């Protein structure tokens, strides 16, 4: 991983015992695309209007977040042949949103989710470089890989990409993009009005790539941004995904928000870095995390239950179960027991457009039935346990302490914070939790003037 952008080196703060104090890094996840977002809440506003994106981004910047994160959906999800509209449906193009946000913010990073399966490296590298330049070096790219024919029908001949080729394509995609970004030497733009020289000598290096996935020949069209090229973010969790991340990613958006699970993931991925010549601080691990605050622990728990019931309506509970069972469960009572029948093992179930993380649905269904029977859980109760379990629940002091514990004890480098309403879902976090982190000396009180996203994240080269 190479970039010639400069990185400011600061002394590492230490505690009273002389141990390094690790700084907390936070990202702000714009609500939407799943049941976490309660669009029926009285405070909820449009997921399309730019005013929502502006408020969310400016509030996150007020909270000194490292970056804003946008997910992406390339096709509307379907459930039993109909558009799945229990969650919000529809969102403008990711790069268009981030370009707009760049104009109304000054410091916060801008990370968008874009597929390496359904894009081409020459065009996407240029689009990302444009955002990086126009934002002053604040862009990031969350790479996702997709193999299913449902999405592929609109992008690929035959639709399907063999799952084993997802990361083969992604690796080659990143290599080509980096070659295009690095094709401009630092200081390539001489713009010497006295000599008439616009480009310095040997300013550009041509790309001549011919691989299994891509053929690209020519020059990148844009000079380097202040940070060299966009920060690479990745969210894959498979063995291949972890290998890809250790070789290419600078941030991992992970699923491992539980403390001990997070420590295992942290050790596994960071432990892979020396083999590819990387320092542990060249990669930040940020799990997704939800939160519910209260003036007391009891109030927070009560609010958590109230929000969970809004996130998992009776219809959502049945829909969630149908994703695993692969068949219509509309005749089941969401407040009743789980189906006694096993899931249908079909290539294409009743749900289309969602990532299916479960390799063995029958085994998972068996474990869920055992859990439900042992604890007397209904379908809806069980779904809340898995789809609406809030990561941090408590007073602002408690939440700040838990976040800091994860970071200091290497369960993560921070978190991608996900609110449950749009666009005000992080307002309370910024008002009440951020000051607690700052008081502990583990979170910035100001951005560094002119810092790029890579510098804000404290990424080593």
């Amino acid at each position: 991983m190479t970039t010639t952008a400069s990185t400011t080196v600061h002394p590492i703060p230490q505690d009273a015992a002389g141990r390094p104090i690790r700084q907390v890094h936070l990202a702000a996840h714009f609500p939407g695309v799943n049941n976490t977002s309660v669009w029926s809440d009285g405070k909820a506003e449009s997921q399309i209007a730019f005013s929502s994106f502006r408020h969310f981004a400016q509030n996150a910047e007020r909270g000194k977040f490292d970056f804003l994160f946008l997910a992406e959906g390339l096709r509307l999800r379907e459930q039993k042949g109909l558009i799945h509209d229990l969650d919000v449906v529809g969102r403008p193009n990711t790069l268009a949103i981030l370009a707009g946000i760049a104009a109304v913010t000054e410091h916060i990073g801008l990370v968008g989710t874009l597929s390496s399966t359904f894009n081409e490296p020459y065009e996407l590298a240029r689009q990302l470089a444009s955002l990086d330049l126009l934002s002053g070096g604040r862009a990031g790219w969350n790479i996702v890989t997709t193999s299913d024919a449902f999405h592929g029908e609109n992008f690929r001949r035959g639709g399907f990409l063999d799952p084993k080729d997802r990361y083969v394509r992604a690796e080659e995609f990143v290599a080509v993009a980096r070659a295009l970004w690095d094709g401009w030497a630092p200081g390539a733009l001489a713009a010497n009005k006295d000599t008439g020289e616009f480009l310095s000598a040997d300013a550009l290096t041509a790309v001549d790539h011919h691989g299994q996935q891509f053929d690209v020949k020519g020059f990148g069209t844009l000079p380097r941004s202040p940070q060299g090229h966009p920060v690479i973010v990745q969210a894959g969790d498979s063995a291949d995904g972890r290998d890809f991340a250790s070789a290419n990613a600078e941030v991992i958006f992970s699923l491992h928000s539980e403390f001990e699970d997070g420590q295992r993931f942290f050790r596994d991925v960071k432990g892979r870095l020396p083999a590819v010549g990387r320092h542990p601080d060249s990669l930040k691990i940020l799990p997704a995390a939800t939160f519910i605050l209260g003036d007391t622990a009891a109030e927070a728990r009560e609010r958590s239950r109230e929000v969970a019931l809004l996130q998992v309506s009776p219809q959502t509970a049945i829909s969630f179960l149908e994703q695993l069972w692969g068949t219509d469960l509309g005749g089941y009572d969401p407040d009743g027991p789980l189906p006694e029948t096993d899931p249908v093992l079909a290539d294409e179930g009743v749900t289309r457009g969602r990532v299916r993380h479960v390799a063995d649905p029958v085994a998972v269904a068996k474990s869920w039935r055992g859990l439900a029977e042992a604890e007397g859980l209904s379908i809806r109760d069980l779904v809340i346990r898995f789809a609406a379990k809030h990561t941090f629940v408590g007073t602002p002091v408690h939440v700040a302490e838990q976040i800091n514990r994860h970071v200091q004890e290497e369960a993560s480098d921070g978190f991608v914070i996900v609110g449950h309403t749009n666009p005000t879902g992080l307002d309370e976090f910024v008002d009440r939790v951020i000051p607690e982190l700052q008081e502990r000396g583990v979170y910035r009180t100001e951005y560094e003037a002119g810092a790029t996203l890579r510098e804000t994240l404290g990424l080593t080269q």
Side-chain angles (χ1 to χ4, degrees):
M1 186 176 309
T2 60
T3 177
T4 58
S6 62
T7 300
T8 303
V9 178
H10 299 284
I12 300 174
Q14 297 180 333
D15 62 16
R19 294 170 300 197
I21 298 174
R22 287 164 46 79
Q23 293 296 295
V24 172
H25 294 277
L26 296 177
H29 191 299
F30 187 85
V33 309
N34 57 44
N35 69 287
T36 302
S37 302
V38 183
W39 58 265
S40 58
D41 188 286
K43 297 179 182 179
E45 298 179 19
S46 170
Q47 88 280 4
I48 297 171
F50 183 69
S51 58
S52 294
F53 295 102
R54 180 176 59 232
H55 175 94
F56 186 82
Q58 291 177 341
N59 180 66
E61 189 165 69
R62 180 172 68 90
K64 308 299 185 289
F65 277 62
D66 292 58
F67 62 86
L68 176 147
F69 181 92
L70 285 183
E72 176 77 302
L74 293 176
R75 187 168 178 178
L76 298 182
R77 289 171 290 166
E78 296 180 10
Q79 190 86 2
K80 294 183 286 192
L82 302 173
I83 297 298
H84 178 80
D85 66 348
L86 297 175
D87 307 341
V88 296
V89 176
R91 180 184 284 176
N93 175 271
T94 294
L95 287 170
I97 296 169
L98 294 178
I101 291 174
V104 296
T105 56
E106 296 181 30
H107 305 285
I108 194 166
L110 310 165
V111 175
T113 301
L114 298 155
S115 174
S116 59
T117 303
F118 303 132
N119 285 288
E120 294 295 321
Y122 189 88
E123 181 180 21
L124 187 56
R126 184 172 189 271
Q127 292 169 338
L128 287 164
S130 297
L131 177 64
D132 207 23
L133 276 167
L134 294 174
S135 65
R138 293 189 281 143
W141 171 26
N142 178 41
I143 305 172
V144 291
T145 64
T146 316
S147 62
D148 67 282
F150 176 71
H151 285 92
E153 285 172 352
N154 292 329
F155 293 94
R156 296 175 59 83
R157 292 186 178 91
F160 189 75
L161 176 68
D162 194 304
K164 72 177 186 299
D165 289 333
R166 291 185 305 148
Y167 286 108
V168 171
R169 182 179 173 90
E171 288 271 8
E172 190 173 331
F173 198 118
V174 172
V176 174
R178 282 213 173 103
L180 291 164
W181 292 328
D182 292 342
W184 285 67
L189 295 180
N192 190 318
K193 295 180 181 179
D194 294 329
T195 65
E197 179 188 45
F198 191 79
L199 292 177
S200 60
D202 300 321
L204 274 67
T205 301
V207 174
D208 189 6
H209 175 91
H210 304 282
Q212 179 181 344
Q213 298 288 327
F214 307 109
D215 291 288
V216 177
K217 185 177 178 65
F219 296 96
T221 60
L222 291 169
R224 291 170 180 262
S225 77
Q227 67 174 349
H229 59 73
V231 170
I232 303 297
V233 183
Q234 194 258 353
D237 194 46
S238 65
D240 287 343
R242 296 185 189 199
D243 285 340
F244 176 84
S246 66
N248 297 282
E250 296 167 279
V251 177
I252 294 182
F253 176 27
S254 97
L255 300 171
H256 303 276
S257 59
E258 297 289 340
F259 182 75
E260 293 182 355
D261 185 35
Q263 285 186 317
R264 287 190 293 270
F265 182 79
F266 190 98
R267 288 193 298 267
D268 176 64
V269 175
K270 297 265 187 170
R272 298 171 188 238
L273 298 179
V276 292
R278 297 182 62 186
H279 188 278
D281 287 338
S282 68
L283 174 66
K284 302 299 183 186
I285 296 176
L286 306 180
T290 54
F291 69 96
I292 299 292
L293 302 178
D295 291 334
T296 65
E299 179 185 326
R301 287 194 297 270
E302 183 178 352
R303 288 188 65 191
S304 177
R305 178 64 181 175
E306 291 171 354
V307 171
L309 288 170
L310 293 173
Q311 291 173 323
V312 181
S313 66
Q315 301 97 313
T316 296
I318 295 299
S319 172
F320 183 91
L321 216 63
E322 287 176 338
Q323 294 170 39
L324 181 73
W325 256 259
T327 190
D328 187 343
L329 301 176
Y332 283 82
D333 180 0
D335 294 317
L338 272 67
E340 295 182 0
T341 58
D342 284 335
V344 175
L345 300 180
D347 291 337
E348 185 175 298
V350 297
T351 303
R352 307 185 74 197
R354 281 185 181 271
V355 177
R356 193 169 188 173
H357 293 289
V358 176
D360 189 347
V362 174
V364 172
K366 181 179 179 181
S367 70
W368 284 4
R369 277 194 293 261
L371 176 63
E373 291 170 4
E375 299 189 20
L377 302 177
S378 68
I379 290 175
R380 192 179 185 192
D381 290 332
L382 183 90
V383 173
I384 286 174
R385 177 75 62 89
F386 288 101
K389 182 181 179 182
H390 302 124
T391 313
F392 300 115
V393 178
T395 65
V397 169
H398 173 77
V399 170
E401 288 175 346
Q402 289 302 303
I403 289 173
N404 190 37
R405 179 189 177 221
H406 279 251
V407 173
Q408 302 310 322
E409 298 185 33
E410 297 189 336
S412 75
D413 290 300
F415 289 93
V416 178
I417 304 296
V418 187
H420 69 273
T421 57
N422 162 43
T424 60
L426 292 187
D427 290 21
E428 187 179 22
F429 188 94
V430 170
D431 290 335
R432 305 187 70 187
V433 178
I434 292 298
E436 295 291 342
L437 292 170
Q438 291 170 330
E439 185 176 317
R440 286 159 176 76
V442 297
Y443 191 76
R444 68 178 63 87
T445 56
E446 294 294 340
Y447 290 105
E448 182 180 329
T452 65
L453 174 55
R454 189 168 280 108
E455 291 169 334
T456 297
L457 283 162
L459 293 166
T460 63
Q461 302 303 319

